[in-house]
C-alpha cells in the first residue's frame, strides 16, 4: 500500500513568488492534515480536511495560505505571496477515521530567498 | 493547554549501548502520548503510543517508553542502539478538540546519532 506522498520534495523560490505544495493521502483516507515545521522549531498544525471540507483551519498563519481538497482526494497548499518566514518543512498526514492514527508524508522543504 | 519539552536536541551514543531520549509534558487533560521517528527523506513513523493503559509501552524496533504521571515524563529508551536508529525523534502529546480533531502538540525533536 502506498503511503502519503508529497510533491515536490524541495522547493526554492524568491520572496513574493507563489508556490503550490501537493499531498496525496493514502487511498480511502477521508481525513487529511497539513502541518509545518519552521526554522527547526516544533511541528505545528495548520488545518484539517474531512473529505473536501475544511474541518479546522485554526492553525493557518494568515491569508497568504490557501488549502484546497477538491473531490476529497489530493490536497494542495498554496502560499501567495511567499515570505521569508514561510521557509520550513510542510508535512501532510492522513487517517481513515478521526480516532485512528495519522500517517505522515515525508514533507516538502520550502526555502524562500 | 498542552506542551512538550524534549530535553536534548542532540544525543550521540555508540552502537550497542543504551539509548535514552527524554521528554516531559504538561496537559490540562489526561493525555495520550506518542513517539514518532523521522529518518532522512521519510515520513514521520509512529514508534509507540500511550493511551492510559499500561504505563510501560513497547513499540517497534525494540523501543519502549514509560509514562510517569508524577514526573510528567515519557522518556524513550532502547537497550542497545543500532546504526539504523540514527534519526530524529519527536515526543507528541494529543488531546481531542471540539472539532473532532485530535490535536497533536510536538516537541522540538531530538536528533539521535549512533557511532560505530
Amino acid at each position: 500500500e502506498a503511503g502519503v506522498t508529497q510533491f515536490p520534495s524541495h522547493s526554492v523560490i524568491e520572496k513574493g513568488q507563489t508556490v503550490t505544495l501537493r499531498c496525496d493521502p493514502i487511498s480511502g483516507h477521508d481525513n487529511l492534515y497539513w502541518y509545518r515545521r519552521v526554522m527547526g522549531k516544533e511541528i505545528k498544525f495548520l488545518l484539517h480536511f474531512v473529505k473536501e471540507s475544511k474541518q479546522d483551519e485554526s492553525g493557518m498563519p494568515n491569508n497568504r495560505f490557501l488549502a484546497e481538497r477538491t473531490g476529497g482526494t489530493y490536497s494542495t497548499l498554496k502560499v501567495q505571496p511567499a515570505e521569508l518566514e514561510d521557509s520550513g518543512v510542510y508535512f501532510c498526514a492522513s487517517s481513515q477515521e478521526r480516532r485512528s492514527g495519522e500517517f505522515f508524508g515525508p514533507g516538502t522543504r520550502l526555502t524562500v530567498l | 493547554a498542552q506542551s512538550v519539552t524534549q530535553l536534548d536536541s542532540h544525543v550521540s551514543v555508540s552502537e550497542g549501548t543504551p539509548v535514552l531520549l527524554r521528554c516531559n509534558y504538561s496537559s490540562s487533560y489526561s493525555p495520550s502520548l506518542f513517539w514518532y521517528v523521522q529518518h532522512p527523506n521519510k515520513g514521520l513513523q509512529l514508534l509507540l503510543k500511550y493511551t492510559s493503559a499500561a504505563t510501560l509501552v513497547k513499540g517497534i524496533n525494540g523501543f519502549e517508553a514509560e509514562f510517569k504521571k508524577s514526573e510528567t515524563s515519557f522518556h524513550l529508551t532502547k537497550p542497545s542502539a543500532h546504526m539504523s536508529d540514527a534519526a530524529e525523534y519527536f515526543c507528541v502529546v494529543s488531546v481531542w478538540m471540539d472539532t473532532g480533531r485530535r490535536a497533536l502538540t510536538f516537541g522540538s525533536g531530538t536528533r539521535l546519532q549512533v557511532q560505530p
Side-chain angles (χ1 to χ4, degrees):
Chain A
E1 177 184 281
V4 177
T5 58
Q6 293 187 244
F7 182 83
S9 57
H10 294 82
S11 180
V12 180
I13 61 172
E14 294 192 350
K15 176 183 172 181
Q17 290 185 320
T18 298
V19 63
T20 300
L21 313 181
R22 173 171 170 144
C23 169
D24 285 81
I26 293 172
S27 178
H29 282 195
D30 288 340
N31 295 277
L32 187 148
Y33 308 83
W34 283 97
Y35 293 83
R36 75 171 180 175
R37 188 183 192 191
V38 175
M39 296 290 286
K41 294 186 178 178
E42 296 83 1
I43 299 170
K44 289 192 182 293
F45 168 80
L46 294 178
L47 87 161
H48 170 209
F49 283 100
V50 177
K51 297 184 180 179
E52 66 275 9
S53 300
K54 291 177 186 175
Q55 192 74 12
D56 183 344
E57 52 184 332
S58 60
M60 294 288 265
N62 52 62
N63 59 10
R64 295 186 293 105
F65 289 76
L66 175 65
E68 294 180 323
R69 193 183 181 195
T70 307
T73 54
Y74 71 91
S75 174
T76 58
L77 180 64
K78 180 190 287 188
V79 185
Q80 179 182 32
E83 298 289 345
L84 299 177
E85 63 264 26
D86 300 333
S87 296
V89 181
Y90 290 76
F91 293 98
C92 177
S94 71
S95 67
Q96 191 166 29
E97 303 288 337
R98 294 185 190 186
R99 290 189 174 268
S100 60
E102 294 88 350
F103 292 84
F104 282 82
T108 293
R109 182 173 295 277
L110 174 64
T111 302
V112 182
L113 303 176
Chain B
Q2 51 279 338
S3 67
V4 179
T5 302
Q6 291 185 242
L7 296 156
D8 307 292
S9 58
H10 290 82
V11 170
S12 182
V13 301
S14 298
E15 190 175 19
T17 64
V19 176
L20 169 63
L21 305 184
R22 299 182 293 167
C23 172
N24 286 98
Y25 72 92
S26 69
S27 177
S28 305
Y29 309 96
S30 296
S32 295
L33 294 158
F34 305 80
W35 277 97
Y36 282 85
V37 59
Q38 186 182 23
H39 290 90
N41 301 317
K42 301 287 187 181
L44 291 160
Q45 181 184 20
L46 180 65
L47 267 182
L48 50 81
K49 62 181 178 181
Y50 165 76
T51 55
S52 76
T55 56
L56 182 62
V57 182
K58 294 188 183 298
I60 61 172
N61 301 333
F63 284 93
E64 61 182 38
E66 186 172 7
F67 174 70
K68 291 186 176 180
K69 187 175 182 178
S70 61
E71 299 176 10
T72 61
S73 69
F74 190 57
H75 301 335
L76 181 70
T77 61
K78 182 174 181 177
S80 176
H82 192 273
M83 296 297 291
S84 61
D85 295 328
E88 190 163 20
Y89 293 78
F90 297 91
C91 182
V92 181
V93 62
S94 81
V95 294
W96 286 99
M97 307 292 285
D98 293 339
T99 57
R101 174 179 69 88
R102 186 176 67 173
L104 303 182
T105 301
F106 286 79
S108 53
T110 298
R111 192 169 294 277
L112 176 65
Q113 191 174 24
V114 182
Q115 307 284 358

